[in-house]
């Protein structure tokens, strides 16, 4: 051995010099990783809950769309004489049969019954069969029916085929005269026609009253 040579350290064995270098994660990091994983699982559960709620809302909206109701004035009885309601042909008013569109009715404590839709010869009442209608909806239908001259309603299903028994019961419990006999109800087109005729008769009556009031001596 020369003077320039140095002896190798006693612990510099090939096994030690070839050992791979790595750093073990301390216990604190492991806990943080576990916490992060738990938060991810919680986020996944929350997202799944939101997805289920959105699907339920969509299902409820579809149910309300399918349970659209149409209220029409009762068909006039045979032999009814409504000539007194008709003004002379030269003095016929311009009939307005358009309706008022969507009308806000407020929302009750259960979140029911925000809107009804006045389509002129038809009133749509979106409602949930599980929650029913709100008092605001029923009151608005009553008000619209009086304005249109409708003395009786028939609540058809959204398809227009057959009576909606639940809606009929709800409206009747709110003081609305409703047709509950499916055979008597007949078709939705017949009720629509009679409903429009009733609206015309009511507008003629209001026109005649206005004419009489304007021509009365003061």
């Amino acid at each position: 051995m020369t003077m320039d040579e140095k002896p190798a350290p006693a612990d510099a064995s090939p096994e030690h010099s070839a050992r791979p270098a790595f750093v073990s994660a301390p216990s604190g990091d492991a806990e943080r990783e576990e916490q992060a994983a738990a938060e991810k699982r919680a986020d996944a559960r929350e997202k799944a809950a939101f997805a289920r709620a959105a699907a339920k809302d969509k299902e409820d909206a579809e149910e309300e769309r399918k349970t659209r109701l149409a209220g029409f004035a009762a068909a006039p009885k045979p032999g009814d004489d409504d000539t007194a309601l008709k003004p002379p042909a030269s003095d016929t008013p311009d009939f307005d049969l358009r309706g008022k569109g969507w009308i806000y009715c407020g929302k009750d404590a259960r979140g029911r019954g925000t809107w009804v839709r006045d389509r002129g010869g038809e009133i749509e009442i979106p409602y949930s069969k599980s929650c029913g209608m709100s008092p605001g909806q029923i009151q608005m239908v009553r008000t619209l029916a009086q304005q249109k001259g409708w003395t009786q309603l028939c609540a058809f299903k959204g398809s227009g085929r057959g009576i909606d028994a639940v809606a009929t019961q709800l409206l009747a419990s709110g003081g609305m005269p409703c047709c509950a006999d499916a055979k008597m109800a007949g078709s939705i087109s017949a009720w629509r026609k009679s409903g429009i005729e009733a609206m015309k008769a009511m507008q003629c009556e209001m026109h005649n009253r206005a004419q009489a009031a304007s021509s009365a001596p003061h």
Side-chain angles (χ1 to χ4, degrees):
M1 178 182 295
T2 65
M3 295 296 296
D4 296 329
E5 292 178 339
K6 295 181 180 180
D11 59 348
S13 62
E15 292 80 9
H16 285 82
S17 62
R19 181 180 298 170
F22 64 91
V23 178
S24 300
S27 59
D29 290 344
E31 292 175 359
R32 283 193 291 272
E33 289 177 1
E34 177 59 29
Q35 182 179 358
E39 290 176 353
K40 287 183 179 180
R41 291 193 294 269
D43 289 342
R45 288 194 296 270
E46 186 176 3
K47 289 179 180 178
F50 277 127
R52 288 193 297 269
K56 184 64 169 59
D57 290 343
K58 185 177 180 180
E59 181 181 343
D60 290 344
E62 180 66 13
E63 179 187 4
E64 290 185 355
R65 187 190 68 79
K66 290 181 179 179
T67 55
R68 188 198 76 186
L69 309 180
F72 302 98
K77 297 177 181 179
D80 283 353
D81 185 7
D82 61 347
T83 55
L85 300 178
K86 296 180 180 179
S90 60
D91 197 19
T92 301
D94 293 328
F95 296 117
D96 183 2
L97 308 175
R98 294 170 298 178
K100 301 177 181 178
W102 287 104
I103 303 173
Y104 181 72
C105 303
K107 185 177 289 188
D108 67 7
R110 296 174 63 185
R112 303 174 303 177
T114 310
W115 302 89
V116 299
R117 186 181 184 184
D118 178 9
R119 300 180 64 182
E122 177 180 353
I123 299 174
E124 295 181 13
I125 315 173
Y127 83 105
S128 169
K129 288 185 177 180
S130 59
C131 296
M133 299 178 193
S134 70
Q137 279 181 310
I138 295 175
Q139 178 58 46
M140 183 56 65
V141 172
R142 183 187 298 113
T143 299
L144 292 172
Q146 292 173 350
Q147 293 174 355
K148 295 173 185 294
W150 294 355
T151 57
Q152 187 181 20
L153 301 181
C154 186
F156 287 94
K157 296 178 181 178
S159 62
R161 299 183 180 89
I163 290 177
D164 188 316
V166 176
T168 299
Q169 183 178 2
L170 290 170
L171 291 171
S173 66
M176 299 294 301
C178 293
C179 176
D181 188 329
K183 186 176 293 185
M184 184 182 298
S187 68
I188 194 171
S189 59
W191 281 76
R192 182 181 289 110
K193 180 179 178 181
S194 87
I196 290 175
E197 290 301 317
M199 291 169 63
K200 289 182 177 180
M202 174 59 74
Q203 292 181 27
C204 285
E205 181 179 3
M206 299 305 294
H207 176 82
N208 287 345
R209 290 179 183 178
Q211 291 288 88
S214 62
S215 60
H218 298 286

